[in-house]
Amino acid sequence: ELLQYHGDKLRYQIISTYDNQERLLENLILEFNSVPGAFSPHAPRPGKVVYTYNASKRTKEVATYEVGGALKERELFTPMTSEKMKLI
């Protein structure tokens, strides 16, 4: 768990889940005390990021969800290239 404060106000809580091989499975990012209309390109994006690994294909899929649960983006990383392939 990671807590990020701006001054004395809690702004973000990041809860991470790992598998038995210590690979990241999920990041849940919660935002607190937000300023309406304010945007920071360096701030964490609230929502959930889910990582799925396929050992036989040596791939990793990363799915990003909005706060309400809607799928925002899916990306597939393969060993054949260092680039990611957008699935959505």
Side-chain angles (χ1 to χ4, degrees):
E1 178 179 53
L2 172 73
L3 300 175
Q4 182 179 8
Y5 288 84
H6 288 194
D8 62 346
K9 290 187 178 184
L10 176 62
R11 285 303 315 268
Y12 300 98
Q13 178 183 21
I14 302 173
I15 303 167
S16 301
T17 306
Y18 298 87
D19 66 9
N20 58 359
Q21 296 177 353
E22 299 184 7
R23 296 179 300 187
L24 182 61
L25 292 179
E26 182 178 296
N27 266 340
L28 177 61
I29 304 161
L30 305 171
E31 182 176 29
F32 301 93
N33 301 306
S34 64
V35 178
F39 173 77
S40 173
H42 302 291
R45 298 284 180 256
K48 181 166 56 170
V49 182
V50 178
Y51 300 83
T52 307
Y53 304 91
N54 184 321
S56 64
K57 293 182 181 178
R58 296 178 34 216
T59 61
K60 175 176 74 174
E61 182 179 312
V62 180
T64 305
Y65 296 88
E66 300 285 348
V67 172
L71 179 62
K72 179 180 177 181
E73 180 178 70
R74 281 178 57 214
E75 298 173 309
L76 180 66
F77 295 84
T78 67
M80 301 302 286
T81 177
S82 60
E83 296 181 14
K84 56 188 175 188
M85 178 180 11
K86 285 196 176 187
L87 301 173
I88 290 182

